[in-house]
Amino acid sequence: MEAKLLCNNGVILDSEFLLDELPLVIGRSPEANICVVDRWVSRRHCEIAERDGLLVVRDLGSTHGTRLNGQPITESTLTPGDVLTVGLTTFLVSDNGQNLQSSGGGSTLVLRGAKPLGPVS
C-alpha cells in the first residue's frame, strides 16, 4: 500500500512524504526520518509505527506535545484524513487513493517509512 503525509503549512511548506518503512521518527534532529526545523519541535518528537496491523503515532516525550485532529495525544491510531500537528507544522494523513485495511468502524493506514517526494503540485 502507498500512503503519505501531506504538509501544506508550517515550516515544511507544500511537501509530501511517502511512507514505506516503519517505524519512523518526526523531529528536529537531522537523523529523524522527517526533519522539521522548528524550535517548537523536539529532536525526537513523535514516532509512527505499525502495531497489530494498525498505524500508531506516539509522542516521544516532546516538550510541546503532539496533536491529532487538534487534540493533544500521547498515543493514537491514524486514519485517512487525520491531521497530525508537530510544532508549527501540520500533516494530513493520506492513503494515496488506495484501499485501506479496515479496523472495526473505520479504515487504518499501514505505512512503511518516509521518502520525501518534493513539492505538492
Side-chain angles (χ1 to χ4, degrees):
M1 170 195 319
E2 229 175 73
K4 58 188 171 183
L5 293 179
L6 305 173
C7 180
N8 59 8
N9 80 358
V11 297
I12 310 175
L13 287 174
D14 297 326
S15 296
E16 54 185 55
F17 298 89
L18 181 63
L19 303 168
D20 65 0
E21 279 188 38
L22 292 177
L24 69 86
V25 171
I26 299 173
R28 195 178 70 236
S29 169
E31 285 102 31
N33 300 92
I34 299 176
C35 182
V36 180
V37 183
D38 172 354
R39 70 183 184 134
W40 301 102
V41 174
S42 296
R43 287 184 190 108
R44 292 178 43 86
H45 198 95
C46 65
E47 177 181 67
I48 297 175
E50 182 182 344
R51 184 180 315 131
D52 299 326
L54 302 176
L55 184 67
V56 177
V57 61
R58 178 174 59 101
D59 186 82
L60 296 174
S62 66
T63 303
H64 299 288
T66 300
R67 293 184 170 271
L68 187 63
N69 300 320
Q71 300 300 311
I73 57 107
T74 53
E75 185 172 294
S76 184
T77 57
L78 291 174
T79 58
D82 279 346
V83 176
L84 176 65
T85 305
V86 177
L88 300 175
T89 300
T90 300
F91 298 94
L92 175 66
V93 179
S94 170
D95 69 351
N96 207 21
Q98 305 267 329
N99 291 327
L100 299 177
Q101 175 179 344
S102 181
S103 156
S107 299
T108 300
L109 291 174
V110 178
L111 308 178
R112 302 250 175 241
K115 295 180 183 175
L117 298 176
V120 175
S121 49

